[in-house]
Amino acid sequence: MLKYELKRLFSRKEFFIVMVIAFFYISVDFIYHSVMLINSPFFELPSAYQMWLLYNKVRGYWGQLFAYFLIPLFATIPYSDSYLEDKRAGVINYIITRCNKRVYLFGKGIIVFFSGFIVVFATLLFDQLLCFCLLPVYSPSENVFNQPTYNAYQFLSTVQLPKLHSINPYLHNLFYMLLNGVCAGIIALVSYSISFFRKMNRYLVVILAFLFYLLENIIGKLISSSTTFSIADYLIILPFSSEITNYQYFLIFMTMLFFISLIIINFKCSKDEV
């Protein structure tokens, strides 16, 4: 079942289109910021890890746009509506007569999660590889676009997960790639579970998941005080103080969404499809 669903994922035009758009976005962003470095002295160049998309000190607006608006779209469009497509085409009736329904729904759920994860993770990894092509692994100083050295180090000392950053900033970036990928996978899974409700179509499945993510971030921004309740803030490397870098809310919220999705899928397994 997994092999069958994975083959369908990679053959879908939606998956291909989203990957092309994501890579195009990264490329345009990279070229735009690379042009800013033309004729810059070597000691003013940022390191390759600093030029990364979600390193908010350098590429803030582009990274924020990606985290706040593009992640839910990149996560849900490729495959979260595949159940509705099977139902509309009548394929589902043939599948569940030859395969256990639970295996079918949970197998599809695994691939839906993977689709959201791989699109976002591959995009961010591609961006880091582009940075390696242009910039030194470590620059002579940690200056960022002519900012004073003390200002740059102030950012580094207050960054989220500073211990991991000090051990290896590229592992720090890799951690955020995985974090964004998992978040995107869970968003895709939520979108997939929404497709089980009545009177749903492929557009509503994507739009509702996007609006839910957007509203969570807006409300989280409004009620944030000593900690942040905006999910997107955890996906960007921000200069937060130690009081704000508490990932308990993020873990609890993501875990809650994950188990709610599993409960909905499990409930769907007990209902007749034909």
Side-chain angles (χ1 to χ4, degrees), residues 80-107:
S80 61
D81 66 329
S82 59
Y83 169 78
L84 290 175
E85 185 180 72
D86 289 351
K87 188 175 180 180
R88 179 184 59 81
V91 176
I92 189 172
N93 296 332
Y94 296 98
I95 294 177
I96 62 176
T97 57
R98 293 164 174 80
C99 172
N100 184 279
K101 185 179 179 182
R102 185 176 298 274
V103 172
Y104 164 69
L105 291 179
F106 277 98

Side-chain angles (χ1 to χ4, degrees), residues 63-160:
Q64 289 176 17
L65 177 63
F66 183 87
Y68 281 93
F69 299 101
L70 297 182
I71 283 180
L73 296 177
F74 289 165
T76 56
I77 291 175
Y79 207 58
S80 61
D81 66 329
S82 59
Y83 169 78
L84 290 175
E85 185 180 72
D86 289 351
K87 188 175 180 180
R88 179 184 59 81
V91 176
I92 189 172
N93 296 332
Y94 296 98
I95 294 177
I96 62 176
T97 57
R98 293 164 174 80
C99 172
N100 184 279
K101 185 179 179 182
R102 185 176 298 274
V103 172
Y104 164 69
L105 291 179
F106 277 98
K108 185 180 286 292
I110 291 172
I111 302 304
V112 168
F113 177 90
F114 174 77
S115 68
F117 176 89
I118 196 63
V119 169
V120 172
F121 179 81
T123 300
L124 296 175
L125 180 61
F126 173 69
D127 182 58
Q128 183 66 87
L129 295 176
L130 285 177
C131 295
F132 282 130
C133 297
L134 177 69
L135 296 166
V137 176
Y138 296 101
S139 61
S141 70
E142 296 300 336
N143 285 349
V144 180
F145 291 129
N146 299 321
Q147 301 248 355
T149 303
Y150 64 83
N151 189 17
Y153 276 110
Q154 183 181 12
F155 173 80
L156 297 176
S157 62
T158 59
V159 73
Q160 293 163 297

Side-chain angles (χ1 to χ4, degrees), residues 176-234:
Y176 274 90
M177 293 178 204
L178 295 171
L179 193 69
N180 278 265
V182 170
C183 180
I186 292 176
I187 293 171
L189 201 60
V190 170
S191 182
Y192 171 62
S193 63
I194 291 174
S195 69
F196 295 147
F197 297 123
R198 291 185 177 181
K199 297 182 179 180
M200 284 290 141
N201 58 56
R202 60 188 308 178
Y203 303 106
L204 274 177
V205 166
V206 173
I207 292 171
L208 289 177
F210 173 78
L211 290 178
F212 172 77
Y213 180 85
L214 188 62
L215 284 174
E216 194 284 331
N217 282 291
I218 292 174
I219 295 172
K221 284 289 187 182
L222 293 176
I223 65 176
S224 293
S225 54
S226 60
T227 187
T228 177
F229 294 99
S230 175
I231 290 298
D233 284 344
Y234 294 97

